[in-house]
């Protein structure tokens, strides 16, 4: 399977609000894709449509199945971590592990217990008595221990401090990702996932505003720190974003040859966070 996700012209409305407005999306098998957007942009609706939790109009195939009609079979190959993991509060940790082991044929109990052994979560403690961070860690341990083709993460480290967030993404690469599985991550903590990604998607107002391989960023986008005597020259090249920085201005350009920009100042490839701000402001004024 070349592409694990193929979506064309996805539409979804809630009353008069259009959550998805003609979304086209292709995600290659083995990619680590970041789906980034402001609040209300359509991120969660997109993710839920991929796993059959949200009915949408348009063409949609995930892992070779249409989630709208084959969700039960699809969930054998897909796992989803929502921003709020709901676990049965009356069970203790060991009982939750027993339950998942009994109902999911692809659950690796050994892997889950190995993950939990590095935490401070007591196995005999009830879910309702765990901290929010512990509940999040437990949920991650369970889902990451299911052998699937596609892992969909919606704000997966919400409630974790920076140490546990870093540990989670390290484990994601070392213990889950094998080059063949696919991961889709939606998060506001863009800086923390930038180095993981192979594929970047920006969504705003229900539309895809950027869809690129990370390896193509350098060839398409350039950030230049420009001194005051060259502002006019930089303005003439139609930057997509300008911000003031330490007495200079930072200009972000799209599809402008670096040879044209070298005389303006110091060239960089913009970070994902800076590019996100630039594209959102461009979209706002477009």
């Amino acid at each position: 399977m070349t592409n694990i996700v193929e979506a064309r012209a996805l539409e979804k409305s809630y009353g008069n609000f259009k959550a998805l407005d003609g979304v086209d999306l292709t995600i290659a098998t083995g990619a680590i894709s970041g789906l980034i957007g402001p609040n209300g942009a359509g991120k969660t609706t997109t993710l839920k449509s991929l796993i059959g939790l949200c009915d949408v109009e348009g063409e949609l195939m995930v892992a070779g199945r249409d989630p709208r009609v084959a969700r039960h079979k699809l969930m054998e190959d897909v796992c989803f971590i929502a921003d709020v993991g709901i676990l049965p509060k009356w069970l203790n940790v060991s009982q939750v592990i027993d339950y998942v082991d009994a109902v999911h044929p692809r659950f690796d109990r050994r892997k889950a217990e190995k993950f939990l052994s590095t935490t401070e979560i007591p196995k005999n403690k009830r879910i309702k008595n765990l901290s929010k961070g512990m509940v999040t860690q437990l949920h991650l341990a369970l889902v990451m221990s299911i052998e699937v083709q596609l892992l969909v993460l919606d704000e997966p480290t919400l409630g974790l401090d920076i140490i546990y967030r870093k540990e989670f993404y390290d484990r994601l690469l070392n213990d889950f990702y094998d080059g063949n599985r696919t991961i889709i991550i939606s998060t506001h903590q863009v800086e923390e996932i930038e180095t993981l990604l192979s594929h970047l998607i920006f969504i705003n107002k229900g539309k895809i505003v950027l869809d690129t391989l990370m390896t193509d960023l350098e060839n398409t986008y350039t950030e230049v720190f420009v001194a005051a005597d060259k502002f006019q020259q930089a303005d003439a090249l139609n930057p997509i974003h300008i911000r003031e920085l330490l007495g200079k201005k930072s200009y972000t350009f799209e599809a402008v040859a670096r040879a044209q920009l070298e005389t303006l100042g110091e060239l960089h490839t913009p970070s994902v966070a800076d590019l996100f701000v630039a594209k959102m402001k461009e979209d706002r004024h477009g």
Side-chain angles (χ1 to χ4, degrees), residues 211-231:
D211 185 344
T212 183
L213 297 177
M214 291 294 290
T215 52
D216 291 340
L217 278 185
E218 184 176 353
N219 297 325
T220 307
Y221 296 97
T222 308
E223 182 179 27
V224 189
F225 296 104
V226 181
D229 62 332
K230 295 187 177 179
F231 287 168

Side-chain angles (χ1 to χ4, degrees), residues 2-8 10 25-27 59-63:
T2 304
N3 297 320
I4 197 162
V5 174
E6 294 185 348
R8 296 289 178 271
L10 297 188
L25 187 61
T26 300
I27 297 177
E59 300 175 22
L60 180 60
M61 295 293 287
V62 178

Side-chain angles (χ1 to χ4, degrees), residues 7 119 188:
T119 73
H188 286 95

Side-chain angles (χ1 to χ4, degrees), residues 22-282:
V23 166
D24 293 336
L25 187 61
T26 300
I27 297 177
T29 299
I32 303 179
S33 298
L35 179 65
I36 314 298
N39 291 333
K43 301 185 302 297
T44 298
T45 301
T46 299
L47 296 183
K48 286 185 175 180
S49 73
L50 300 184
I51 58 171
L53 287 178
C54 176
D55 195 21
V56 293
E57 296 179 11
E59 300 175 22
L60 180 60
M61 295 293 287
V62 178
R65 298 186 176 94
D66 185 336
R68 295 163 292 193
V69 297
R71 182 173 185 271
H72 178 72
K73 292 296 293 181
L74 178 66
M75 295 313 292
E76 295 179 6
D77 298 315
V78 177
C79 268
F80 177 60
I81 299 180
D83 56 354
V84 179
I86 300 175
L87 295 172
K89 298 183 183 301
W90 61 90
L91 296 180
N92 65 33
V93 173
S94 290
Q95 290 170 331
V96 169
I97 294 173
D98 290 341
Y99 173 76
V100 178
D101 194 21
V103 300
H104 205 296
R106 298 189 183 179
F107 179 68
D108 186 337
R109 186 188 187 103
R110 179 193 57 80
K111 186 177 287 188
E113 291 179 341
K114 181 181 178 182
F115 183 101
L116 290 173
S117 70
T118 66
T119 73
E120 298 179 358
I121 301 174
K123 289 189 176 181
N124 60 351
K125 201 166 187 177
R126 289 190 178 186
I127 305 302
K128 67 179 181 180
N129 295 323
L130 296 178
S131 68
K132 182 179 180 181
M134 285 183 175
V135 172
T136 304
Q137 283 183 293
L138 175 58
H139 193 204
L140 297 177
L142 295 172
V143 177
M144 285 181 61
S145 300
I146 299 174
E147 304 293 330
V148 292
Q149 296 180 41
L150 173 62
L151 180 61
V152 180
L153 308 173
D154 188 3
E155 295 289 352
T157 56
L158 198 69
L160 298 183
D161 64 31
I162 189 169
I163 294 174
Y164 288 124
R165 294 200 304 267
K166 186 177 188 312
E167 180 185 355
F168 168 68
Y169 287 120
D170 286 346
R171 285 182 177 272
L172 190 66
L173 285 183
N174 295 327
D175 299 339
F176 179 84
Y177 185 69
D178 61 2
N180 296 311
R181 292 173 176 164
T182 308
I183 303 172
I184 304 173
I185 309 171
S186 178
T187 180
H188 286 95
Q189 295 158 340
V190 179
E191 297 88 348
E192 295 184 1
I193 67 167
E194 179 169 357
T195 58
L196 308 179
L197 301 179
S198 62
H199 179 210
L200 181 63
I201 307 156
F202 291 164
I203 187 171
N204 194 28
K205 302 174 186 175
K207 296 178 180 288
I208 302 297
V209 297
L210 180 132
D211 185 344
T212 183
L213 297 177
M214 291 294 290
T215 52
D216 291 340
L217 278 185
E218 184 176 353
N219 297 325
T220 307
Y221 296 97
T222 308
E223 182 179 27
V224 189
F225 296 104
V226 181
D229 62 332
K230 295 187 177 179
F231 287 168
Q232 188 173 0
Q233 186 180 348
D235 290 337
L237 293 173
N238 298 318
I240 63 171
H241 183 55
I242 304 171
R243 62 189 175 103
E244 294 192 14
L245 191 67
L246 300 175
K248 295 184 177 182
K249 287 185 180 180
S250 168
Y251 286 71
T252 302
F253 296 93
E254 180 176 354
V256 178
R258 291 202 168 202
Q260 287 185 264
L261 303 174
E262 288 175 349
T263 60
L264 297 178
E266 189 178 333
L267 306 188
H268 301 272
T269 300
S271 69
V272 169
D274 287 341
L275 182 59
F276 174 73
V277 171
K279 294 295 288 184
M280 291 304 105
K281 289 191 174 181
E282 179 193 36

